[in-house]
Amino acid sequence: MRTLLRDTGTVFARAMRMSLRNPAWLVISLMQPILYIVLFGPLLEPLAEQLGPGDAYQIFVPGILVQLGMFGALFVGFGLIAEWRAGVIESQRVTPASRTALLLGRVLRDVVVLLTQGVLLVLVAIPLGLRAPVAGVALTLLIVALLGAALAAVSYALALTLKSEDAFAPLLNAVVFPVVLLSGILLPMTLAPGWLQTLSDVNPFKHVVEAAREFFIGGYGTATAWWGVALTVLLAVLGWLFGVRRFRRESS
């Protein structure tokens, strides 16, 4: 365990230094959700009563936070492909470092970045009219962290499998956009026709979004909230197992 923690810290520190040396992509990845809140959020205010319990920002901001967790984590694999091409992965394979730590250190960096972006996103939304309980915001950020960890591990595993941006990008686009559209991130799926609601019910990310919205209105004890939490934990476990298995196989 001591070795795992030491190796994880080393990989995390290296990954964080790389991010801090090139913060432009962090700013760019944050600008899109902020623009959604600033330019799209006000359009929902007159429709708040039709969207469900809570005001427009209590409905919209949790969805954008989940979207940030999804997009911010799923695309980290592009950086790993670049590292593989530069020989970094090969160099790490010949070290005695724990193969689990090679993944865990990178995922921890991604989670820290996502949480930082999520906090900034909430702070931007407050002057626009967001009013949400602190505990609800904290629980939502925890969901985003777990979801980000799961998807980052999956992204790294897929990147090691494909080893090509030309294959990785179409795969992500083919999967991510239907999932996002069926998750009710921008608007609750209760506004959709029946067949579309039925289709969205099989999408676990829809339930994650609904859980985040429940927390933002203080619904801590509802079945909707904790069903979303349970699915998030399940996704985190499955994503982590998939990522660790792929890293160990690559390093064998």
Side-chain angles (χ1 to χ4, degrees), residues 59-73:
I59 295 170
F60 189 54
V61 173
I64 294 298
L65 286 173
V66 174
Q67 182 189 43
L68 178 67
M70 293 173 63
F71 280 88

Side-chain angles (χ1 to χ4, degrees), residues 1-2 6 11-12 54-55 62 70 83 101 111 115 127 132 137 144 156 176 181 198 211 237 239 242 251:
M1 180 59 68
R2 186 180 298 112
R6 183 196 63 211
V11 175
F12 169 79
D55 60 42
M70 293 173 63
E83 287 188 300
V111 170
L115 288 177
V137 174
V144 171
Y156 287 132
V176 171
L181 291 174
T198 301
V237 171
F242 177 58
S251 301

